[in-house]
Amino acid sequence: MEGKKTDLLQGTLDLLILKTLTPGALHGYGIAQRILLTSRETLDVQQGSLYPALHRLERKGLIDSEWKESGNGRLAKFYSLTRAGRKQLAGELDQWQRYARSINWVLDSQ
Amino acid sequence: MEGKKTDLLQGTLDLLILKTLTPGALHGYGIAQRILLTSRETLDVQQGSLYPALHRLERKGLIDSEWKESGNGRLAKFYSLTRAGRKQLAGELDQWQRYARSINWVLDSQ
DNA sequence: TCTACATACATCGTATGACTACATATGCAG
DNA sequence: CTGCATATGTAGTCATACGATGTATGTAGA
């Protein structure tokens, strides 16, 4: 009942997912692994956050999905960026940078 | 029904408020003005966000309030950091820096 | 005078979205 | 045959930023 903590700042998950998909298609599980890797083990995206986010992004037309084999003999749903997704990523990237800069201006003011 | 946009990332408002109170007590309206100023006109905290946040912070014991005269002959509620608030600020500052660093690691990975 | 604006506080309802917990299934190693 | 990593998903909960709205006052200007 106390100390409900959000690991990720709301709004940044989409950005991370879109960015992670730029080199090529990945399945959900792989996306989480890759974010964990590139964030040097600091950002552990939970499955209860990840899959809803993927469905959301797909509904918005920012990513596409396709069932394919996953290297080991298993099926997995591979997501890839659409043109709209690439555009959205550019926008969110810019927004994040400007937002972080703004915050830092406030934090650096004495 | 579409394009609901959050101006501030959830979780950063408290940090901004606490930071803005470090030089001394301010009333709500003044806090918003000061954030707007120090963010170089980029972060405009809405009143519907600000006052609930102040009440929340006070409930948590991170800030104190006191009705005082506001320079012009008007009464205003002045908020100031408590010891717990100062400690919280240090923690949130650290958290923000580490979080921003993590995001950037992901964004800088090709 | 009266009008507008900046100052100043506050609440309600809504939407978003990240989380925990849980449910399901498979391939492989021991 | 047991456990683990892989893999997808949903239900319910919670925090919180927002727009809209309401109140009130001091001051400047027409």
Side-chain angles (χ1 to χ4, degrees):
Chain A
M1 54 205 61
E2 264 294 316
K4 176 66 172 175
K5 175 90 78 168
T6 310
D7 283 0
L8 251 45
L9 256 25
Q10 248 172 269
T12 53
L13 180 54
D14 289 7
L15 170 61
L16 293 176
I17 292 175
L18 292 175
K19 171 65 190 179
T20 301
L21 286 178
T22 38
L26 275 177
H27 54 262
Y29 195 82
I31 293 172
Q33 277 182 126
R34 180 130 188 88
I35 290 177
L36 191 60
L37 177 73
T38 55
S39 72
R40 310 187 192 181
E41 319 301 318
T42 55
L43 300 178
D44 191 2
V45 177
Q46 302 305 306
Q47 308 192 332
S49 314
L50 177 67
Y51 290 106
L54 288 171
H55 300 332
R56 188 164 68 229
L57 290 171
E58 191 173 17
R59 234 178 13 251
K60 288 185 192 166
L62 304 176
I63 56 177
D64 269 339
S65 68
E66 195 185 357
W67 285 96
K68 276 203 273 193
E69 237 185 287
S70 166
N72 55 22
R74 236 140 5 155
L75 273 184
K77 210 191 247 179
F78 280 75
Y79 292 95
S80 51
L81 281 178
T82 62
R83 184 181 299 267
R86 241 174 276 277
K87 202 173 154 189
Q88 176 79 8
L89 171 58
E92 293 204 17
L93 216 60
D94 183 63
Q95 224 180 282
W96 161 257
Q97 277 153 359
R98 294 200 289 120
Y99 184 74
R101 188 157 21 106
S102 293
I103 293 279
N104 286 328
W105 278 333
V106 176
L107 298 184
D108 293 343
S109 73
Q110 78 291 21
Chain B
M1 54 202 59
E2 264 293 317
K4 176 67 174 174
K5 174 92 78 167
T6 309
D7 284 359
L8 251 46
L9 290 182
Q10 246 170 274
T12 53
L13 179 53
D14 289 6
L15 169 61
L16 293 175
I17 292 175
L18 294 174
K19 170 64 190 178
T20 300
L21 286 177
T22 38
L26 277 176
H27 55 264
Y29 196 81
I31 293 173
Q33 277 182 127
R34 181 133 187 86
I35 290 177
L36 191 60
L37 177 72
T38 54
S39 72
R40 311 188 191 181
E41 319 300 318
T42 55
L43 300 178
D44 191 3
V45 177
Q46 302 305 306
Q47 305 193 335
S49 316
L50 177 66
Y51 291 106
L54 287 171
H55 300 332
R56 186 165 70 230
L57 290 171
E58 191 173 19
R59 234 177 13 249
K60 287 185 193 167
L62 304 177
I63 57 178
D64 269 339
S65 69
E66 193 185 358
W67 285 95
K68 274 202 275 193
E69 238 185 288
S70 164
N72 54 22
R74 237 140 4 155
L75 273 184
K77 210 191 246 179
F78 280 76
Y79 293 94
S80 51
L81 282 179
T82 62
R83 182 181 300 267
R86 242 173 276 276
K87 202 172 156 191
Q88 177 78 10
L89 171 58
E92 293 204 17
L93 216 59
D94 183 63
Q95 224 180 281
W96 161 258
Q97 279 152 0
R98 293 200 287 122
Y99 184 73
R101 189 157 21 106
S102 293
I103 293 280
N104 286 328
W105 278 334
V106 176
L107 297 185
D108 293 344
S109 72
Q110 78 293 20

